[in-house]
């Protein structure tokens, strides 16, 4: 089985813990993500990079959270970069209302 990238592991943990209006700070996200302790330095850098992703809302010192209005962009990242299957993405991004028009380009 292929080991997920650090970014994909962080996104998977964020999706699992997603609650609207509840940002997650870096150290808590690293603690719940499926990453090895030796990957923590890279994960800290990826966390900072995620702050500017279109599907992330940056809450400053409070952390980051998923932007549900941008779940289409997140679905594309999960499909293309993380190699999730469409059925898995649909089951995990339940609040995405754009499925009827979404193209897996």
């Amino acid at each position: 089985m292929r080991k997920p990238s650090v970014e994909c592991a962080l996104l998977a943990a964020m999706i699992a813990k997603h609650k609207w209006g509840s940002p997650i700070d870096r150290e808590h996200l690293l603690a719940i993500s499926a990453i090895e302790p030796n990957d923590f330095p890279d994960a800290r850098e990826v966390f900072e990079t995620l702050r500017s992703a279109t599907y992330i809302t940056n809450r400053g010192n409070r952390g980051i959270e998923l932007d549900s209005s941008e779940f289409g962009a997140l679905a594309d990242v999960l499909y293309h970069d993380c190699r999730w299957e469409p059925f898995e993405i649909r089951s995990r991004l339940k609040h995405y209302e754009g499925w009827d028009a979404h193209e897996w380009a």
Side-chain angles (χ1 to χ4, degrees), residues 11-12 28 35-37 43 46-47 57 59-60 67 71 84 90 99 101:
L11 290 174
H28 185 235
I35 56 176
E36 300 291 328
V46 170
F47 181 91
T57 301
R59 298 289 184 202
D67 181 348
F71 274 2
W84 288 20
R90 282 181 183 262
W99 288 123

PDB file of all heavy atoms in Angstrom, residues 11-12 28 35-37 43 46-47 57 59-60 67 71 84 90 99 101:
ATOM      1  N   LEU A  11      -4.617  16.578   5.279  1.00  0.00           N
ATOM      2  CA  LEU A  11      -5.970  16.839   4.783  1.00  0.00           C
ATOM      3  C   LEU A  11      -6.948  15.769   5.251  1.00  0.00           C
ATOM      4  O   LEU A  11      -8.081  16.082   5.632  1.00  0.00           O
ATOM      5  CB  LEU A  11      -5.965  16.932   3.258  1.00  0.00           C
ATOM      6  CG  LEU A  11      -5.294  18.167   2.674  1.00  0.00           C
ATOM      7  CD1 LEU A  11      -5.216  18.067   1.159  1.00  0.00           C
ATOM      8  CD2 LEU A  11      -6.012  19.433   3.093  1.00  0.00           C
ATOM      9  N   ALA A  12      -6.527  14.509   5.239  1.00  0.00           N
ATOM     10  CA  ALA A  12      -7.404  13.432   5.710  1.00  0.00           C
ATOM     11  C   ALA A  12      -7.796  13.644   7.171  1.00  0.00           C
ATOM     12  O   ALA A  12      -8.957  13.462   7.543  1.00  0.00           O
ATOM     13  CB  ALA A  12      -6.721  12.080   5.527  1.00  0.00           C
ATOM     14  N   HIS A  28      -1.820  20.072  17.136  1.00  0.00           N
ATOM     15  CA  HIS A  28      -2.929  19.134  17.290  1.00  0.00           C
ATOM     16  C   HIS A  28      -3.150  18.357  15.994  1.00  0.00           C
ATOM     17  O   HIS A  28      -3.368  17.140  16.021  1.00  0.00           O
ATOM     18  CB  HIS A  28      -4.208  19.853  17.718  1.00  0.00           C
ATOM     19  CG  HIS A  28      -5.343  18.945  18.010  1.00  0.00           C
ATOM     20  ND1 HIS A  28      -6.555  19.068  17.397  1.00  0.00           N
ATOM     21  CD2 HIS A  28      -5.451  17.863  18.824  1.00  0.00           C
ATOM     22  CE1 HIS A  28      -7.360  18.111  17.820  1.00  0.00           C
ATOM     23  NE2 HIS A  28      -6.717  17.374  18.686  1.00  0.00           N
ATOM     24  N   ILE A  35       1.050  10.354  10.217  1.00  0.00           N
ATOM     25  CA  ILE A  35       2.411  10.627   9.748  1.00  0.00           C
ATOM     26  C   ILE A  35       3.398  10.144  10.802  1.00  0.00           C
ATOM     27  O   ILE A  35       3.081  10.088  11.989  1.00  0.00           O
ATOM     28  CB  ILE A  35       2.647  12.124   9.436  1.00  0.00           C
ATOM     29  CG1 ILE A  35       2.330  13.000  10.640  1.00  0.00           C
ATOM     30  CG2 ILE A  35       1.855  12.552   8.223  1.00  0.00           C
ATOM     31  CD1 ILE A  35       2.634  14.466  10.444  1.00  0.00           C
ATOM     32  N   GLU A  36       4.572   9.795  10.331  1.00  0.00           N
ATOM     33  CA  GLU A  36       5.635   9.346  11.222  1.00  0.00           C
ATOM     34  C   GLU A  36       6.257  10.542  11.936  1.00  0.00           C
ATOM     35  O   GLU A  36       6.324  11.636  11.368  1.00  0.00           O
ATOM     36  CB  GLU A  36       6.722   8.623  10.415  1.00  0.00           C
ATOM     37  CG  GLU A  36       6.237   7.408   9.669  1.00  0.00           C
ATOM     38  CD  GLU A  36       5.865   6.274  10.586  1.00  0.00           C
ATOM     39  OE1 GLU A  36       6.484   6.128  11.663  1.00  0.00           O
ATOM     40  OE2 GLU A  36       4.945   5.518  10.235  1.00  0.00           O
ATOM     41  N   PRO A  37       6.717  10.369  13.159  1.00  0.00           N
ATOM     42  CA  PRO A  37       7.357  11.481  13.881  1.00  0.00           C
ATOM     43  C   PRO A  37       8.523  12.114  13.116  1.00  0.00           C
ATOM     44  O   PRO A  37       8.730  13.324  13.218  1.00  0.00           O
ATOM     45  CB  PRO A  37       7.829  10.841  15.183  1.00  0.00           C
ATOM     46  CG  PRO A  37       6.877   9.711  15.401  1.00  0.00           C
ATOM     47  CD  PRO A  37       6.569   9.187  14.014  1.00  0.00           C
ATOM     48  N   ALA A  43       5.872  18.245   7.894  1.00  0.00           N
ATOM     49  CA  ALA A  43       4.455  18.498   8.133  1.00  0.00           C
ATOM     50  C   ALA A  43       4.227  19.918   8.646  1.00  0.00           C
ATOM     51  O   ALA A  43       3.230  20.552   8.288  1.00  0.00           O
ATOM     52  CB  ALA A  43       3.898  17.483   9.124  1.00  0.00           C
ATOM     53  N   VAL A  46       4.333  22.038   5.568  1.00  0.00           N
ATOM     54  CA  VAL A  46       3.126  21.825   4.768  1.00  0.00           C
ATOM     55  C   VAL A  46       1.946  22.540   5.413  1.00  0.00           C
ATOM     56  O   VAL A  46       1.124  23.152   4.723  1.00  0.00           O
ATOM     57  CB  VAL A  46       2.832  20.319   4.577  1.00  0.00           C
ATOM     58  CG1 VAL A  46       1.465  20.091   3.955  1.00  0.00           C
ATOM     59  CG2 VAL A  46       3.923  19.679   3.737  1.00  0.00           C
ATOM     60  N   PHE A  47       1.849  22.482   6.728  1.00  0.00           N
ATOM     61  CA  PHE A  47       0.774  23.182   7.441  1.00  0.00           C
ATOM     62  C   PHE A  47       0.793  24.664   7.087  1.00  0.00           C
ATOM     63  O   PHE A  47      -0.249  25.253   6.794  1.00  0.00           O
ATOM     64  CB  PHE A  47       0.927  22.992   8.953  1.00  0.00           C
ATOM     65  CG  PHE A  47      -0.154  23.660   9.762  1.00  0.00           C
ATOM     66  CD1 PHE A  47      -1.307  22.973  10.105  1.00  0.00           C
ATOM     67  CD2 PHE A  47      -0.030  24.976  10.186  1.00  0.00           C
ATOM     68  CE1 PHE A  47      -2.306  23.579  10.855  1.00  0.00           C
ATOM     69  CE2 PHE A  47      -1.018  25.583  10.937  1.00  0.00           C
ATOM     70  CZ  PHE A  47      -2.162  24.889  11.269  1.00  0.00           C
ATOM     71  N   THR A  57      -9.354  28.015   5.333  1.00  0.00           N
ATOM     72  CA  THR A  57      -9.517  29.314   5.957  1.00  0.00           C
ATOM     73  C   THR A  57      -8.448  29.435   7.037  1.00  0.00           C
ATOM     74  O   THR A  57      -8.368  28.585   7.921  1.00  0.00           O
ATOM     75  CB  THR A  57     -10.918  29.472   6.585  1.00  0.00           C
ATOM     76  OG1 THR A  57     -11.893  29.303   5.551  1.00  0.00           O
ATOM     77  CG2 THR A  57     -11.080  30.826   7.248  1.00  0.00           C
ATOM     78  N   ARG A  59      -7.007  30.969  10.226  1.00  0.00           N
ATOM     79  CA  ARG A  59      -7.492  31.645  11.435  1.00  0.00           C
ATOM     80  C   ARG A  59      -6.325  32.152  12.300  1.00  0.00           C
ATOM     81  O   ARG A  59      -6.468  32.302  13.513  1.00  0.00           O
ATOM     82  CB  ARG A  59      -8.369  30.714  12.254  1.00  0.00           C
ATOM     83  CG  ARG A  59      -9.603  30.251  11.540  1.00  0.00           C
ATOM     84  CD  ARG A  59     -10.589  31.367  11.381  1.00  0.00           C
ATOM     85  NE  ARG A  59     -11.821  30.872  10.773  1.00  0.00           N
ATOM     86  CZ  ARG A  59     -12.674  31.640  10.149  1.00  0.00           C
ATOM     87  NH1 ARG A  59     -12.458  32.924  10.057  1.00  0.00           N
ATOM     88  NH2 ARG A  59     -13.764  31.125   9.627  1.00  0.00           N
ATOM     89  N   GLY A  60      -5.181  32.400  11.674  1.00  0.00           N
ATOM     90  CA  GLY A  60      -4.034  32.948  12.391  1.00  0.00           C
ATOM     91  C   GLY A  60      -3.530  32.014  13.463  1.00  0.00           C
ATOM     92  O   GLY A  60      -3.323  30.830  13.222  1.00  0.00           O
ATOM     93  N   ASP A  67     -12.590  25.271   4.206  1.00  0.00           N
ATOM     94  CA  ASP A  67     -13.567  26.231   3.701  1.00  0.00           C
ATOM     95  C   ASP A  67     -14.584  25.447   2.888  1.00  0.00           C
ATOM     96  O   ASP A  67     -14.306  25.042   1.759  1.00  0.00           O
ATOM     97  CB  ASP A  67     -12.857  27.284   2.848  1.00  0.00           C
ATOM     98  CG  ASP A  67     -13.795  28.348   2.304  1.00  0.00           C
ATOM     99  OD1 ASP A  67     -15.032  28.167   2.384  1.00  0.00           O
ATOM    100  OD2 ASP A  67     -13.288  29.346   1.773  1.00  0.00           O
ATOM    101  N   PHE A  71     -15.124  23.247  -1.413  1.00  0.00           N
ATOM    102  CA  PHE A  71     -14.969  21.795  -1.413  1.00  0.00           C
ATOM    103  C   PHE A  71     -14.717  21.239  -2.808  1.00  0.00           C
ATOM    104  O   PHE A  71     -14.142  20.168  -2.957  1.00  0.00           O
ATOM    105  CB  PHE A  71     -16.180  21.120  -0.776  1.00  0.00           C
ATOM    106  CG  PHE A  71     -16.098  20.987   0.721  1.00  0.00           C
ATOM    107  CD1 PHE A  71     -15.034  21.481   1.443  1.00  0.00           C
ATOM    108  CD2 PHE A  71     -17.109  20.341   1.407  1.00  0.00           C
ATOM    109  CE1 PHE A  71     -14.957  21.349   2.823  1.00  0.00           C
ATOM    110  CE2 PHE A  71     -17.050  20.192   2.792  1.00  0.00           C
ATOM    111  CZ  PHE A  71     -15.973  20.700   3.489  1.00  0.00           C
ATOM    112  N   TRP A  84      -7.437   9.704  -4.092  1.00  0.00           N
ATOM    113  CA  TRP A  84      -8.657   9.153  -3.520  1.00  0.00           C
ATOM    114  C   TRP A  84      -9.620   8.855  -4.660  1.00  0.00           C
ATOM    115  O   TRP A  84      -9.654   9.534  -5.672  1.00  0.00           O
ATOM    116  CB  TRP A  84      -9.304  10.150  -2.574  1.00  0.00           C
ATOM    117  CG  TRP A  84      -8.619  10.364  -1.272  1.00  0.00           C
ATOM    118  CD1 TRP A  84      -7.328  10.097  -0.950  1.00  0.00           C
ATOM    119  CD2 TRP A  84      -9.201  10.932  -0.107  1.00  0.00           C
ATOM    120  NE1 TRP A  84      -7.075  10.455   0.337  1.00  0.00           N
ATOM    121  CE2 TRP A  84      -8.207  10.974   0.885  1.00  0.00           C
ATOM    122  CE3 TRP A  84     -10.464  11.418   0.195  1.00  0.00           C
ATOM    123  CZ2 TRP A  84      -8.447  11.473   2.158  1.00  0.00           C
ATOM    124  CZ3 TRP A  84     -10.696  11.925   1.465  1.00  0.00           C
ATOM    125  CH2 TRP A  84      -9.696  11.938   2.437  1.00  0.00           C
ATOM    126  N   ARG A  90     -16.755  11.661  -2.162  1.00  0.00           N
ATOM    127  CA  ARG A  90     -18.183  11.970  -1.954  1.00  0.00           C
ATOM    128  C   ARG A  90     -18.639  11.610  -0.544  1.00  0.00           C
ATOM    129  O   ARG A  90     -19.406  12.334   0.077  1.00  0.00           O
ATOM    130  CB  ARG A  90     -19.050  11.226  -2.960  1.00  0.00           C
ATOM    131  CG  ARG A  90     -19.066  11.829  -4.321  1.00  0.00           C
ATOM    132  CD  ARG A  90     -19.986  10.992  -5.227  1.00  0.00           C
ATOM    133  NE  ARG A  90     -19.991  11.490  -6.571  1.00  0.00           N
ATOM    134  CZ  ARG A  90     -20.934  12.287  -7.062  1.00  0.00           C
ATOM    135  NH1 ARG A  90     -21.936  12.675  -6.313  1.00  0.00           N
ATOM    136  NH2 ARG A  90     -20.870  12.693  -8.306  1.00  0.00           N
ATOM    137  N   TRP A  99     -21.781  18.476  -6.428  1.00  0.00           N
ATOM    138  CA  TRP A  99     -21.494  17.182  -7.046  1.00  0.00           C
ATOM    139  C   TRP A  99     -22.101  17.049  -8.431  1.00  0.00           C
ATOM    140  O   TRP A  99     -21.491  16.451  -9.317  1.00  0.00           O
ATOM    141  CB  TRP A  99     -21.983  16.038  -6.174  1.00  0.00           C
ATOM    142  CG  TRP A  99     -21.177  15.838  -4.940  1.00  0.00           C
ATOM    143  CD1 TRP A  99     -21.644  15.850  -3.660  1.00  0.00           C
ATOM    144  CD2 TRP A  99     -19.766  15.601  -4.837  1.00  0.00           C
ATOM    145  NE1 TRP A  99     -20.611  15.638  -2.780  1.00  0.00           N
ATOM    146  CE2 TRP A  99     -19.444  15.492  -3.488  1.00  0.00           C
ATOM    147  CE3 TRP A  99     -18.740  15.491  -5.775  1.00  0.00           C
ATOM    148  CZ2 TRP A  99     -18.156  15.264  -3.028  1.00  0.00           C
ATOM    149  CZ3 TRP A  99     -17.443  15.268  -5.321  1.00  0.00           C
ATOM    150  CH2 TRP A  99     -17.167  15.142  -3.968  1.00  0.00           C
ATOM    151  N   ALA A 101     -22.450  19.112 -10.784  1.00  0.00           N
ATOM    152  CA  ALA A 101     -21.699  19.818 -11.817  1.00  0.00           C
ATOM    153  C   ALA A 101     -20.199  19.533 -11.759  1.00  0.00           C
ATOM    154  O   ALA A 101     -19.448  20.038 -12.583  1.00  0.00           O
ATOM    155  CB  ALA A 101     -21.943  21.325 -11.694  1.00  0.00           C
TER     156      ALA A 101
END
